[in-house]
Amino acid sequence: MPRVTFLHPEGRNGEIPLDASLLEAAEFLGFPLTHDCGGNASCTTCRVEVECGAENLSEIDCDEQDLLDRENLIEAFHRLGCQAHVKGDVVVRVPLQKWGETTTGTITNSDKVR
């Protein structure tokens, strides 16, 4: 079974069923990955940044790429958790700006997206 690591202050890691999506992996591990559209690839709230193991995810399809392009998320490390299926070990970063409200409105180094 592949191992998935979610980098986030509330992150989790563990072994998950082969070919589960990253969203399914998050649910399996008890990590609340945001997914406003219910995992139907019609928003980008489940977006993650692949830190390592990109080769262990399913290939990006046209629908996912179109949605990422529309949101100007053009770097190859961006993936939608509901669309990326796990084939082997992978580490993904979950952007902090999706988690809770900012109290100061100031962006710190740990909040910046590459």
Side-chain angles (χ1 to χ4, degrees):
M1 288 187 13
R3 183 170 200 80
V4 174
T5 301
F6 291 95
L7 298 177
H8 182 272
E10 297 174 27
R12 302 273 170 84
N13 68 77
E15 292 184 341
I16 56 111
L18 183 65
D19 207 35
S21 69
L22 287 170
L23 178 57
E24 292 165 338
E27 291 171 349
F28 185 82
L29 296 173
F31 179 68
L33 183 62
T34 304
H35 54 286
D36 290 350
C37 72
N40 294 308
S42 59
C43 73
T44 59
T45 59
C46 67
R47 175 181 53 90
V48 297
E49 300 166 1
V50 181
E51 292 287 321
C52 67
E55 69 279 3
N56 294 327
L57 293 174
S58 59
E59 291 199 26
I60 195 164
D61 66 18
C62 292
D63 292 335
E64 180 182 3
Q65 190 64 61
D66 287 345
L67 187 55
L68 290 169
D69 289 347
R70 191 170 60 217
E71 295 296 323
N72 201 31
L73 300 169
I74 56 175
E75 293 87 359
F77 59 82
H78 290 294
R79 291 299 304 265
L80 297 181
C82 66
Q83 298 300 299
H85 289 263
V86 181
K87 309 294 184 185
D89 296 352
V90 64
V91 177
V92 297
R93 179 170 309 282
V94 179
L96 292 176
Q97 57 268 33
K98 290 191 292 185
W99 295 85
E101 298 176 12
T102 349
T103 53
T104 63
T106 303
I107 296 176
T108 65
N109 284 338
S110 63
D111 293 328
K112 290 181 182 175
V113 177
R114 284 191 257 169

